[in-house]
Structures are given as structure tokens and as C-alpha cells.
Amino acid sequence: MKRLGWLATGIIIAVYLVAIIGLGGEMTTASENSSLNTSFLIKVVKFSLLQAFLSTLISIMLAIPVARALHRQQFPGKSLLLSLAGLSLVIPVIVAILGIVAVHGNAGWLSHLAAKFNLETHYLYGLAGILIAHVFFNLPLATRILLLSLNTIPNSSWRLARHLGMRSWDLFRFLEWPLFKVQLPQLAGLIFLLCFTSFAIVLVFGGGLKYSTLEVSIYQALQFDFNLAKAVKLALVQVSICAFVFVFITRKASQFSFQQLSIKSVVRDDGDSPLQRIFDVAILILFLLWVLLPILAILAGGLNFSAWSVLGTQGFWLALKGSLWVSLISGCLAAVIVLSLCYLYKSFRTSGLASNLLDLLVQLILIFPPFVLATGLFIVLRGNLTFSGPIIVILINILAILPFMMRVLLPSVLYTHRYDRLSTSLGLININRLSKVDWPLIKKSFALALGVGLALSVGDFSVIALFGSQDFQTLPLYLYRLMGAYRTEQAGIIAIIICMMALLMFFLSQRLVGSTHAKA
Amino acid sequence: MLKLDKVIFNYPEFQFNFDFELAAGHCLGILGESGSGKSTLLNLIAGFLPPESGHIYFDGQRIDQLKAHERPLTILFQEHNLFNHLTVYQNIGLGISPSLKLTNANQKTIYDALEKVGLPNMDKRLPESLSGGQRQRVALARCLVRSRPILLLDEPFSGLNSEIKTEVKALLMQLKTELNLTMLWVTHDQTDLQGVSDQLAFIEQDRLNRTAKAALIPHSSN
């Protein structure tokens, strides 16, 4: 396993190196005239920073009252509300965009509602649209992480606070804020990074020079201007900014754990006054509507039976085939890679430097623009698009899902450490060790990691935008093209199919790999 | 006879020297504060740590070149003695075959060992359904089926109450005489060793020279 881990590490490094060599070679032959217009660059960087900053600020400012309300109010259906809010964490971005358009768009639900009061609503495109979509994803994420940290305050502290007669504001100042203060820089950094590099959302809601970010400009430079030098320069700027934020996040040691949220019965009483209760209930209803309406819109879109005819088209079958191949190959390969990397990581236990480097390598894709990486690979592979397109999409996809899968699997692999001495003393090594000791312990997390990888791959919409062709499509790309052609009804059907496929893969992997009867 | 011949192990800041002999069938109790190097000594003998220099012999044969599971010894750990997801039977069986390929004779050995440690009919249970004392006795049963001449005990009583301690201790004494076991028993609590150890050693740290060694306590003081 450890040797396989070294091999996987080598391959990942090789992929990055090959891409960089490819780009470097092309850059030296490209004429220097194609240099970047400075005012354009400044404009793009400014907007990228602005939208990411505002998205982060709004998500966190709203998450604090929502998390507090969720923490201090007990009501039936609370766990249901939490799981519903968790849905936004797993919905593919391109699918969620469709739901957001159906709710907030010019012909959306809210616009219909506003029309009844003779109000005009055209707010979805431009900065507002980008912020709405980013907050849709990141408000539940931030709420979840803040709620998890609120749960760590022991009941004895709340009792003591009650004894001392602390009011809601005092509780915030003395109990909650000190905790948030530790979490917020990291949380803000994470959300900032996600929004700064977000692609599909800006592609759909932004547009034009005015509302373009670095990530989208890179894509456009490659797709429409065929200007590699421009793309690489933009990429360098993006990587430097991301690296700065990334170092800032990881410098603080504690990582978020995406553990199960449990409902604790809390002895705090600052939510008991009628005024406070009304306030909290109002906030929670707004939060629920915010998350739920786009999801309902997606479901409603799938109920449009007249549009099911889209399933008869050749384009759909091509996309379905592409999605199946891409997700199965990348999910399964990534699962093997991630397993071997976890064991390599475990063998680094005593070396903080080595494990940090491995961590960095796995997470590099979060700051490295996938389009540039993909283009570098394309230059080296040289083959025609039909041949190299799928390979590149799968490679980039694997890199993109590794960090998430690793986070799921790593704790249980590290847990097997407790049996190291006992296993060695009994001669349980290699395959005996894996099948008798480790597999039963890691099986569940492995299945979960595999499920996460498969589901993420099904919904992935990034480099496929560049490498899709007549013969090679995936469902998310197909959905994007339908939306672009204003065939919203057909798009609704595809969105439902993407969700079902992701869910199916997720649950099948739990059933086939993770069940107690599954053998090694 | 177990013999440590000028065995040296270096931590970045500290050096351990072990040089002593233990007669077959005897029990050596090793005392010392936590962090004093008691576990280092066991880890060296068991093969979890490679010595810097020096040799380890048993009955005249060098054993420090052997892999951990090939050495003529078996270990009762302080914790994580049993695989929690495997049954009592499987846990003991792993002591005989790491791939759990067990012959009929092996099966009988396992049931006999369970009988011996006073846990007949517990073979299908999972460790989590047993008490702390029962778990240690299952681990002891696994030590038995391995039928190795040396038994290393690494704080085997931590977390057990005194009643169970007495019970497990009696069992250990009985097995020791029956099987002529050579035992190394590491503990921070001298009362654990009363009536068990034939000899006592103390891990002595010399902070000035950053070294430590196991010093045998003269017989009279035991």
C-alpha cells in the first residue's frame, strides 16, 4: 500500500510537471506580443477579489445569527431542517444554478410574485447573481461549521452563564465570540478561496468584461481567443493570490472536521423571550426558504413531463454515456489512489514535514486553475481532441475529487495505527493485515469516500467546458448547453437525471462496498 | 536464558543502555516512572525498535535479527490487545495463523486455552461485550496458543480493579510454573509485582549524561 502511495504521489507530481513543461514550451515559442492588457488585468483581479470578498462577508454575517438561532431554539423537525440545509452542500453547482434561475431569474418565481405587486425584478445577472449563488452554497456551509463549534461549548458553561444572569449579548461576547474568533479566519479563508476560483456560477451569471473573474477569463482566453500566453499569465496571478490565502488558512493548525451534526439539548435560555423567539423563527424561515426554494424548483422542473422527450435525443445518450464513463473511471481510480495516499500519509506520522507536503500536493488543485493544467496536458498529449479529451477530463477530475475523498478516508486509516504493534507481533502483514484488520475498520469510510468521489464526478462541470466535443459530452455540459439555448424545460429534466445518477452512485457504493456483508 | 548484550538505543536527546540476563522460567519486574524507558526496553526485545548496537540472545541464539513475529516471545499489551471487530475465537486464532487458516487441532487448542483462562463458551463474543478483565484474559489465551517461551507484559493491569488484578495474577502465576515461562513485566506500580517477580530492575536515568540503563536491584531487597 505504501509503495502504491509513492507511485500515486509520483504520478500526481508528474501530471503537474508535464503540464507545466507543456505550457513552458508553448510560452517560449508564442510571440511576446500577445501580452496582457494591464487595465484588463486590473479590472479582472479587482472584480475577482470584490465578489469573493462580498460573498464571504455576506455568508458569514448571515451564518452567525442563523447558527445562533438554530442552537438556542428547540423545535420538532430541527434535524430535518439541518439535513435540508445540508443538501446545498451536495448539489452539483450547475444543477443548483438552474434552480436559482428558476427562483430568482427574470421569469422566475419571485419575479412572478413581484409582478402581482407591480414590481420589476431584474437582479439575477451581474454581481448580484454571483453573490446570490455563492451565498446559496456557502451560507449553509458556514452555518454548519459555526453550529458545530457552538456544540463544543459544554453545558456547564451555559449553566454558569445562567447562574450569573448573562443576557443574549453577553453570551455572544463571552461564550460564542471567543470560539468564533478562532474559527472565522479559517472559515472565511475557505469560503473566499471557493468563491475566488468559482467557475460555473460566474460563467452563467457574470459575463462581459465587467463581471468576469480570473478563472472565467482563463477559460475564455483558451476557448475563444486561443491565447495561451494570456491564459498562463492570468493563471500565475490567480495562483499567487490563492497561494497567499491558502497559506493563511493552513497556518492555523486545526482543520474543520465535516463530522455529523448532532442535536444537543441545550440549557441556554436566551431564546426563551417572546421577542427573541419571533426573531429566531423569522430568521430560520428565511434561511429555509433561501435554501429550499431553488431545490424545490429543481424538483418541479423534473415534473415537466412534456419535456421528457429530451431523453430520446442522441445528444442525451451521448452525454449519459460520457458521464457514466468519466464518473466511474475517475471515482474508482481516485478511490484506489486515495487509499494508497492515506497509507503513505500514515507512514509519515513521525515526520510533520513529509505529511504536510503530501497534504499540499493533494490540495494543490484547489488553487491551481484546472483549465491551465488541462491545457498544458493537451499540448503535451498533442493527440486529437477525441482521444485526449476524455483522458484529460478524467485526470483533472481525479485531482479535483482527491482532497474531498482524502478528508473522508484519512481519519479511519490513521485509526488503524492502534493495532500496529499487535499486528506486527502476530505476523499480520501485507494482505493478511489488510483483509483481517484494516479493511473491516476502514470499509465504511472507504465506501463513503468512493460515493463522494463518484457523486462529485457526476456533477463536475469544469474542464469539460473546454474539452467537450461532438463525440464527447457529459450531462453537466449538456445541461449548460441547453440552458444557453434557453431550453429551460429540457434542462430541468437533465438536472433531475444528474441528481438521481449522483444519488444512485452514492448509495450503490455504500451498499456494495460498505455493507457489513461485503468481503474484502 | 534471555540475555541483552550491550544493547544501545538512541533517542535524539537520550541514550538507553541495556545489559542484563534473565534465567529461563524467571520473572523480571521492571519499574520506572512513565517515560523512563520501560516501553523502549520491551519494544527493543519485541522487535518494534531496532537497536543501535548490541545483541539480544535467547538460549544462546541471537534473536535481534528476527522479525517481530518470528521471535520466541508473545506480548500482553496495555491496551488495544484485541481487534474489536473480530470475535474472541478469531482473536485467539490469529495467534496461531495470521491468515486464520486453522486446522481441527488448532481449533481444539483455542478452546483449551479459553478453558484455561476461565472463559469457556465465550468464543463467539465480541470484545466490546466483555469486561476489562475478561478482555485481558482473552489476550492471555492468545499468548498461550502462541506457545512461545517468553512472555512480555506491558502494564497489563492498567485500568483493572484490584479484585480482577488478583484473579489475573493468580492465573499468570499458574501458567508461569506450568509452562516454565520467562517473563518481563513492566509496570509503574510495584504492588502489581508482589509475589510474582523473581527479580526487580529499575530504569535509572542519568540526566547529566543523558543516558539510562536498567539496574538490577539486589535480591535481598525483593
Side-chain angles (χ1 to χ4, degrees), chain A residues 271-346:
Chain A
D272 289 354
S273 76
L275 205 65
Q276 191 62 260
R277 187 156 282 177
I278 291 169
F279 176 74
D280 283 347
V281 167
I283 280 188
L284 291 181
I285 288 176
L286 284 176
F287 174 66
L288 186 64
L289 287 176
W290 177 254
V291 178
L292 205 56
L293 281 180
I295 294 174
L296 286 177
I298 295 166
L299 291 177
L303 293 176
N304 193 336
F305 296 108
S306 61
W308 283 93
S309 58
V310 71
L311 302 191
T313 63
Q314 211 187 346
F316 167 73
W317 287 104
L318 188 70
L320 181 68
K321 202 176 79 179
S323 269
L324 266 177
W325 278 117
V326 167
S327 57
L328 282 177
I329 296 178
S330 13
C332 296
L333 273 180
V336 175
I337 292 173
V338 95
L339 185 65
S340 66
L341 288 181
C342 284
Y343 274 96
L344 185 63
Y345 189 96
K346 184 184 162 198

Side-chain angles (χ1 to χ4, degrees), chain B residues 22-123:
Chain B
L22 177 62
H26 276 219
C27 174
L28 174 64
I30 296 160
L31 290 163
E33 310 275 304
S34 59
S36 65
K38 298 176 310 230
S39 297
T40 305
L41 174 58
L42 282 199
N43 285 339
L44 282 166
I45 300 174
F48 300 133
L49 288 177
E52 198 76 33
S53 63
H55 302 305
I56 303 170
Y57 298 90
F58 183 70
D59 282 348
Q61 305 276 327
R62 259 186 80 178
I63 62 166
D64 54 287
Q65 296 154 313
L66 299 176
K67 288 192 178 132
H69 65 276
E70 294 165 345
R71 301 191 178 194
L73 52 87
T74 178
I75 311 166
L76 196 59
F77 292 100
Q78 177 177 4
E79 51 175 7
H80 309 314
N81 257 316
L82 301 177
F83 300 111
N84 285 328
H85 57 282
L86 299 178
T87 62
V88 163
Y89 176 84
Q90 289 171 316
N91 264 295
I92 300 174
L94 281 175
I96 300 174
S97 156
S99 56
L100 268 185
K101 293 200 180 84
L102 300 171
T103 63
N104 287 343
N106 292 153
Q107 289 180 14
K108 191 174 176 311
T109 316
I110 295 173
Y111 290 119
D112 287 349
L114 270 175
E115 195 100 18
K116 219 171 230 167
V117 297
L119 295 173
N121 308 321
M122 294 282 203
D123 54 310

Side-chain angles (χ1 to χ4, degrees), chain A residues 40-117:
Chain A
F40 165 76
L41 179 66
I42 292 176
K43 212 174 218 163
V44 170
V45 170
K46 255 190 185 161
F47 183 74
S48 305
L49 289 171
L50 177 73
Q51 60 84 16
F53 173 73
L54 288 178
S55 305
T56 310
L57 189 71
I58 297 171
S59 300
I60 288 181
M61 292 297 277
L62 293 177
I64 291 177
V66 174
R68 292 190 83 207
L70 272 171
H71 189 244
R72 67 186 163 207
Q73 300 297 347
Q74 311 299 324
F75 50 92
K78 186 169 165 180
S79 61
L80 184 68
L81 195 156
L82 286 174
S83 350
L84 284 175
L87 276 179
S88 75
L89 301 174
V90 294
I91 290 183
V93 178
I94 191 77
V95 171
I97 287 174
L98 190 74
I100 290 170
V101 171
V103 173
H104 297 277
N106 294 346
W109 294 357
L110 292 183
S111 159
H112 279 297
L113 190 69
K116 293 210 166 119
F117 302 96

